[in-house]
Amino acid sequence: MPSGKDKSRSKRRVFVRTPAGKVKLHHVKRNDSKAQCAECGAVLLGVSHVRASRLKNIAKTKKRPSRPFGGNLCSICARKKIIERTRSQK
Ligand SMILES: [Zn+2]
């Protein structure tokens, strides 16, 4: 019988096979919402959306794309921003 806090469907139900071969039901916290572009609001690709406590177990390269504005702007908006900045420097 799950305890009261686990009966809520705000937690994800995952079937886990134990070393003894039995299948048990685990209640896992859901992932955070997906990261969005700061300019246009599009969903960012290549950005992991796990809970902040699990981010420490994930490699830095899997947290965001390694380019300017990676993890903050989408590729289209980042390209526009870089072009805009280089033109304003001249
Ligand atoms: Zn964008």
Side-chain angles (χ1 to χ4, degrees):
M1 186 77 186
S3 64
K5 64 181 169 58
D6 288 338
K7 286 179 196 166
S8 166
R9 280 303 181 105
S10 66
K11 293 202 173 175
R12 210 159 51 89
R13 305 160 108 212
V14 180
F15 289 96
V16 177
R17 187 175 293 277
T18 62
K22 290 182 180 177
V23 178
K24 301 210 92 180
L25 184 61
H26 282 197
H27 295 79
V28 183
K29 282 184 177 176
R30 291 180 191 273
N31 286 335
D32 283 348
S33 58
K34 291 180 178 174
Q36 291 178 321
C37 174
E39 294 269 319
C40 67
V43 173
L44 292 183
L45 301 176
V47 179
S48 57
H49 58 105
V50 295
R51 295 250 161 183
S53 58
R54 283 191 60 211
L55 276 178
K56 65 184 175 190
N57 299 329
I58 293 176
K60 193 175 184 180
T61 52
K62 287 186 178 174
K63 288 176 192 171
R64 78 287 174 277
S66 55
R67 61 163 180 257
F69 304 108
N72 192 23
L73 297 177
C74 70
S75 60
I76 299 165
C77 293
R79 185 184 293 250
K80 283 180 190 169
K81 196 93 167 179
I82 291 165
I83 291 171
E84 184 185 301
R85 282 191 175 188
T86 50
R87 283 180 181 165
S88 64
Q89 280 178 351
K90 288 176 186 175

